[in-house]
Each structure stands twice: as C-alpha cells, then as structure tokens.
Amino acid sequence: MTISQMLADKHIGVPNYQRAYSWDTEQDPAKTPKQVNQFLKDLQDYALSRSSSHYYFGHFLLEKQGKENEYGVIDGQQRLTTIIIFIAAMFRKLERLRPLTGKEQQIYANVVKVDNEYTFSTVGYDDHFFRQYVIDSTRQDRNGLATMSQRRIADAYDYFCRQADGMSEADVCGLIATVGQATCTTHVVENEAEAIQMFIFQNNRGKRPTNLEIIKAQFMYNVHLHGGEDKDKQTMLNDIRESFEEIYKSIARIEDRIDEDDVLNNALRVYFNNLDEGNALQKVGAELAKETRVTFIGEFTRTLSDCFRLLAEFFEREKTDFAIHVLMQFASRSIVLPFAIKAMQRNIGDDAMRRLAAALTSISVRAGVIGSRAVLTWRLNDVYKAFDGDVSPIADKIEWMKTQNGWWGYWSNEWFARALQGGMSHDRAKRLLWLYENHLRTQGKRGYAPMRYDAIDSPHLEHIAPQTETPESGYCPYDEEFRSEYLECLGNYLLLSGSHNESLGNAPFDVKRESYNYLLQQEEVRAMTETDRRWDKEKIAARKDKIIGFIINNY
C-alpha cells in the first residue's frame, strides 16, 4: 500500500491522549541532523540512488474510530505528521512555479486536503494552528505560539519551505512523487488491547518512546488484562485517557523547562513519599507485578496528572515570584520539585512558599559549591516525608545542617567558605555573582526591583585579570602564587553580558575599566581602582572576601 492510498478518503487524527508533535529541526547544518532534517536527507538519498523499489515509510498502527473512514493513529504519528508537513511545503513551492497536473492534484487531495476536508489532524490544542500555518497558509507569523509542539510544527514547515526554495522544479516534483508512491504497512485494530500491546513491542525510526509513553501503554494494557468486567475496564480506560490528555496539555506548557521523564520521576517521589525514588520503569514494573496493580494504576495516574498540572503552575509562578526564580537557578530539581509539588498540593500561602524557597535555595547553593548533593537527598528525606504544609521543620533542619561541624558537617560555614575560596564552574560563579549584584542593589535603597537572571543578555563570566598574561597592562605579575590563588576565584570574576565580554578579550585593565558601566559590581571595581587604575592581588583578595562574606551570611 502506498502512503497516498493509505490516506485517501480517510480522516486520520492523533487522539488527545497521545503525544503532540515532538520531532525537532536542527537549524545549523554543521551539527548532527535532528529527526526532521534526517527525514529529508533520507528522501533525497533515495532519490539520488535511482532505486527501482519504492521508498518505505514504515508501519502505522491505527485504531478504528466511531465514524466511517475515521481512524486514530496509535503509533507512527510523528512520521505521519512530518509527511503531511513536508508534502504541504513541497506543493507550496510547486504552486508558485506552475499549475498542478491532474496527478499532482490527486496526490494533494489524497494526502493533504480535498475541498474543505482535511485528511489529517494533530492533537486538538495544536490542530487549528497546524491547519492555518501548514495546510492553508492563512497565517505567516509565529507570534504567540502556545506550545512547544506548535513551534516544532512551524520549524519543520519553515525548514522544508527553505529547502524547497533552493530546489529546481524537477527536484520538487521528484520528491512529491517519491512520497506519493512510497509504501507503508498498516494494521487497523478495533481491539485497543491489541493496539497497545503492538505499541509496546514495536520500534520504528525516530524518537524512542519516553518512559512516560511506555508506562501509559503498560497501564492501559494491564487494565485490559486485569480490570475486571468490561464496564469497569472502560471506566478505568476513560479515566486514563482523560488524565493523559491533561498530562499532555501540561507538557505542552512546560516542556521547554523540564523533561517529561523528570516530571515522571518526581511524581514517583511524591506518590511513594521518598526522595530516593528515581527509576520509573523499574518501580512501576514492580507495582504492576502485584495483585494491587489496578488500584495502583488509578492512584498513580491521578498523582501523575496532578504533578504535571502543579509543576506547570509552579513554573508559571516562577515568572513573577523572585524567590522561586532564585531557587530554580541553583536547585537540584530531583530534590526541590517534590517539595514544591507537596507545598502546592497543600495550598500553602505565598509567604510560606517564599520561606520554603529561601530555605531550599540556601542549602542548594551550599550543596552546589561544596559538591555533596547525593548526601543532601538522604539528609532531607525525613523532613520531606513528614512535610504536611508546615515549612518550619524544613527550614529548621536546614539551619541545623549549616551549623554542624566535623566530618558530617558537609554544609557548615567552614566547609562552605573553604569551597568558595578557589575556582568553581563558571556557570555556578555567574549565578553567585548575580546574587551579589542584587545584594549591591539593596544597599541603602528601598523598593528596588531585583534583577532576574534571565534579564541579563547572555551572561558571561569575565576574568578581570585575563587568563593569558598581558605584561605592562595594569595587572600584577603572573607569578606562581597569582596563578594558583588569585586568577581563578570570585574576586577576579565579573558578571558581564556576552557581547560586552567578547568585546574585551585580553585588553589592558584601563580599557576594561572604562567599559565597566553597566552592573553595580562593575562600578564597584571601578571605585576600587580609582586611585591607581591597577588590578592586583590585594584588590582581588579584598573583593573576594567581600563576596564570600555576603554569600555565607545570606546562604
């Protein structure tokens, strides 16, 4: 069967409880191709090979819907969506060159649209945009795209259109013919259990199923096997479908912030009330082997839906709540997000949420600098398990941890100060200097507006005294002591925008100094060197002590 024959006189849609469009497009040709780029490359390689056999698009698993000639795609929706996007882009190019032939019109009608009847629809919350931007070309702008999947659809269509613009008419016609004549195999089922079982074992080219998709399929399959009477099975299956429809809507809101399998693992930590959980497939597999599997499926699906919804709300809240924004710049998400989910489940107030964020930020900053995050999970697990909405035990435990000394006092001021003395990852140093910048803004001022980290234009870490020695340029000699103790430390680091940093390079200090006019920490360096216009060990040490003092006293 050809793709054209498979789609002709049918409507095939992606059910809302399935994943939205997830194939990516690589804009830089020098980098490894993403799925969309590879799709086109495979077609072009086939065309160049002049093979006598037809191109093969793989297997599609379809489920018969209630209406005649209406189907849901259970497996293969990413490939099928990409085929429609590609064909629409190629016909856009061809129609600008000349009228379509009768054969070409037939391919278009079979694969894309005939009159006002669309052959294919994606998930409901993306379909209106899909038809406007890809099929009908009634929308050209990309402003206000609501989901990452809409951005991926637009990226794929724009990429195919750009590639088509560089092709000859013969090339475009050849690719349209290749797709129209390409073969595929299909399996149409009315038994949902069979469809789910086939999905679990089927492996096609493209993105491998996520753990979340595998677990969804396992849940539905186990309900078919163990869900009792048909009426009870259908009730549970409908609950799962509705829950996953909500889950995928939440994913569309947050997938640029967090990976869905990370949310899945955090849902495990919430459901089992244990920060040490982390292997979703193994843990869920063990639960599905128990007699209580059906109860677990219902309970965990609801927890999963809640966690995705609450994290979507949490990340939305982060846009306006500075305390949460600070937390997310330093936090190990596997530790702090379960606390956040629990806090939102219990509907704690804004002040309590900010207090929780401040306490978790404090220990996250220390753990990141000192490097003891794994032990931190164990140390916080008891207050996490007992967390019922009262933030005080968590804040008290963290303050207690910061006062402990000895080999177990991983997060004490002593260990923290020692770790802050030398160099550290540049990404962490940038964020610490961002905290310091906001500290400088509060000095002697009221009602100041804190600066968000994402408000800095491509934040870079500047070495005031450059890593490469530049003699007679306003810096002290690069002796062994300077290189080992002063070059790589917070006192010699400065926060700059990317464009500012690139413009400086290894310039003499006086040149750099004149450009330090944007952030308060830059003005501080100017003030420190007003008299001698020189950057040396003494000034680096003084500035380092001041920054470290601020960090230890506040975090």
Side-chain angles (χ1 to χ4, degrees):
M1 177 186 297
T2 67
I3 285 288
S4 182
Q5 291 169 339
M6 181 190 83
L7 292 166
D9 300 320
K10 297 185 185 70
H11 176 77
I12 298 178
V14 180
N16 283 345
Y17 65 87
Q18 296 279 39
R19 165 175 307 285
Y21 190 58
S22 66
W23 275 18
D24 293 313
T25 307
E26 179 54 65
Q27 305 299 337
D28 185 348
K31 294 185 178 180
T32 304
K34 300 290 188 182
Q35 294 86 6
V36 169
N37 310 67
Q38 190 66 51
F39 175 93
L40 178 57
K41 184 177 184 300
D42 288 346
L43 285 176
Q44 291 174 323
D45 288 347
Y46 168 83
L48 289 173
S49 72
R50 302 187 183 280
S51 172
S52 59
S53 61
H54 293 302
Y55 188 81
Y56 177 60
F57 267 126
H59 188 73
F60 295 90
L61 181 59
L62 307 175
E63 181 183 10
K64 185 74 176 67
Q65 304 290 306
K67 296 181 180 179
E68 186 178 0
N69 294 328
E70 188 169 298
Y71 301 84
V73 56
I74 303 301
D75 193 44
Q77 66 262 41
Q78 306 300 333
R79 282 173 288 130
L80 190 53
T81 307
T82 308
I83 289 168
I84 305 301
I85 295 171
F86 176 77
I87 283 291
M90 292 300 109
F91 272 105
R92 171 182 174 271
K93 166 70 174 183
L94 193 56
E95 287 176 324
R96 290 178 174 179
L97 298 175
R98 59 165 174 77
L100 301 182
T101 66
K103 187 174 183 180
E104 289 163 350
Q105 289 176 350
Q106 188 61 54
I107 293 174
Y108 186 85
N110 288 349
V111 176
V112 182
K113 178 184 177 184
V114 55
D115 297 326
N116 291 318
E117 296 294 324
Y118 298 86
T119 299
F120 174 82
S121 62
T122 186
V123 291
Y125 48 87
D126 287 342
D127 197 49
H128 183 64
F129 169 78
F130 181 81
R131 292 182 179 183
Q132 280 190 323
Y133 198 86
V134 174
I135 306 301
D136 298 329
S137 294
T138 56
R139 174 176 177 173
Q140 281 77 45
D141 71 275
R142 295 170 55 119
N143 299 324
L145 299 187
T147 64
M148 282 293 293
S149 45
Q150 289 181 10
R151 293 177 214 171
R152 292 191 181 104
I153 288 168
D155 285 344
Y157 182 68
D158 292 347
Y159 171 75
F160 288 142
C161 286
R162 287 196 305 272
Q163 297 302 309
D165 286 341
M167 296 177 189
S168 67
E169 178 184 333
D171 290 336
V172 173
C173 290
L175 288 171
I176 290 174
T178 296
V179 172
Q181 297 166 9
T183 61
C184 64
T185 54
T186 63
H187 187 80
V188 179
V189 297
E190 296 186 17
N191 183 330
E192 187 178 47
E194 180 187 358
I196 295 164
Q197 188 175 22
M198 290 185 68
F199 170 81
I200 291 173
F201 292 106
Q202 188 162 307
N203 181 28
N204 288 310
R205 186 169 188 171
K207 279 190 172 180
R208 67 171 293 277
T210 64
N211 290 344
L212 182 68
E213 290 176 299
I214 293 169
I215 285 172
K216 179 187 72 174
Q218 289 175 336
F219 279 5
M220 296 179 78
Y221 186 60
N222 272 270
V223 169
H224 276 291
L225 290 180
H226 307 291
E229 300 294 328
D230 286 347
K231 182 179 179 181
D232 296 332
K233 287 182 183 179
Q234 287 306 314
T235 298
M236 279 205 70
L237 289 170
N238 287 337
D239 287 344
I240 292 172
R241 292 188 193 99
E242 289 173 5
S243 292
F244 271 88
E245 180 175 346
E246 293 304 313
I247 285 169
Y248 283 122
K249 287 179 180 177
S250 296
I251 288 173
R253 295 170 60 190
I254 65 174
E255 64 175 325
D256 59 335
R257 302 295 306 276
I258 187 170
D259 182 85
E260 67 183 54
D261 282 343
D262 289 337
V263 182
L264 170 63
N265 285 330
N266 281 312
L268 279 181
R269 296 172 187 122
V270 171
Y271 181 83
F272 291 104
N273 199 27
N274 184 1
L275 289 177
D276 284 333
E277 298 296 343
N279 191 324
L281 292 181
Q282 183 180 68
K283 188 70 175 183
V284 168
E287 292 298 318
L288 293 178
K290 299 177 181 178
E291 293 297 323
T292 54
R293 62 178 69 88
V294 173
T295 300
F296 166 74
I297 289 169
E299 292 177 348
F300 187 71
T301 301
R302 287 189 289 275
T303 298
L304 195 59
S305 180
D306 282 346
C307 287
F308 272 96
R309 175 180 56 82
L310 291 171
L311 282 181
E313 293 175 9
F314 182 74
F315 283 119
E316 191 65 28
R317 191 168 176 175
E318 184 265 346
K319 294 177 182 178
T320 57
D321 193 312
F322 190 69
I324 295 175
H325 177 65
V326 173
L327 172 63
M328 297 314 297
Q329 303 311 310
F330 294 94
S332 167
R333 294 185 173 192
S334 62
I335 295 174
V336 304
L337 290 184
F339 278 102
I341 293 168
K342 268 194 171 187
M344 296 186 73
Q345 284 177 329
R346 287 150 181 80
N347 198 29
I348 70 173
D350 289 344
D351 289 342
M353 179 66 85
R354 292 186 187 112
R355 187 181 175 206
L356 175 64
L360 292 172
T361 297
S362 174
I363 203 64
S364 295
V365 168
R366 292 186 175 227
V369 172
I370 297 168
S372 52
R373 190 168 293 171
V375 184
L376 183 61
T377 302
W378 174 62
R379 287 295 179 92
L380 290 177
N381 213 7
D382 59 339
V383 288
Y384 171 74
K385 290 179 178 180
F387 182 35
D388 61 358
D390 183 3
V391 174
S392 293
I394 301 168
D396 292 345
K397 176 65 178 289
I398 289 172
E399 286 304 310
W400 176 85
M401 290 164 60
K402 289 159 60 174
T403 63
Q404 301 307 296
N405 293 311
W407 64 268
W408 61 87
Y410 301 108
W411 305 279
S412 68
N413 287 345
E414 179 185 348
W415 281 61
F416 194 28
R418 187 184 308 154
L420 287 166
Q421 291 295 326
M424 62 188 69
S425 79
H426 288 184
D427 187 63
R428 184 165 294 114
K430 285 187 293 186
R431 284 171 166 77
L432 291 176
L433 290 174
W434 164 65
L435 294 178
Y436 182 62
E437 178 68 24
N438 277 301
H439 165 67
L440 293 177
R441 290 185 171 207
T442 66
Q443 302 306 292
K445 298 180 181 180
R446 291 185 179 181
Y448 84 104
M451 177 181 66
R452 288 175 58 94
Y453 189 71
D454 52 19
I456 305 170
D457 179 22
S458 183
H460 278 219
L461 190 69
E462 153 84 342
H463 288 73
I464 303 174
Q467 293 169 291
T468 302
E469 183 175 7
T470 53
E472 303 302 326
S473 298
Y475 310 109
C476 62
Y478 280 46
D479 56 24
E480 184 177 346
E481 181 187 47
F482 182 80
R483 291 184 181 279
S484 63
E485 297 182 23
Y486 293 87
L487 186 60
E488 294 287 350
C489 74
L490 285 170
N492 192 45
Y493 294 157
L494 191 65
L495 190 60
L496 298 181
S497 68
S499 57
H500 188 179
N501 187 48
E502 291 166 4
S503 70
L504 293 177
N506 293 336
F509 177 66
D510 203 45
V511 173
K512 288 188 174 186
R513 184 180 179 281
E514 289 303 311
S515 74
Y516 291 163
N517 295 311
Y518 300 99
L519 299 179
L520 291 182
Q521 61 190 269
Q522 298 170 18
E523 294 180 11
E524 182 181 57
V525 171
R526 285 174 60 93
M528 291 176 68
T529 56
E530 183 65 39
T531 302
D532 60 1
R533 308 296 176 96
R534 184 171 176 80
W535 190 247
D536 53 25
K537 294 177 182 178
E538 180 182 353
K539 297 184 184 69
I540 292 173
R543 183 168 179 265
K544 180 178 71 171
D545 290 344
K546 185 176 180 182
I547 295 171
I548 290 176
F550 152 72
I551 295 171
I552 290 176
N553 290 334
N554 289 273
Y555 298 95

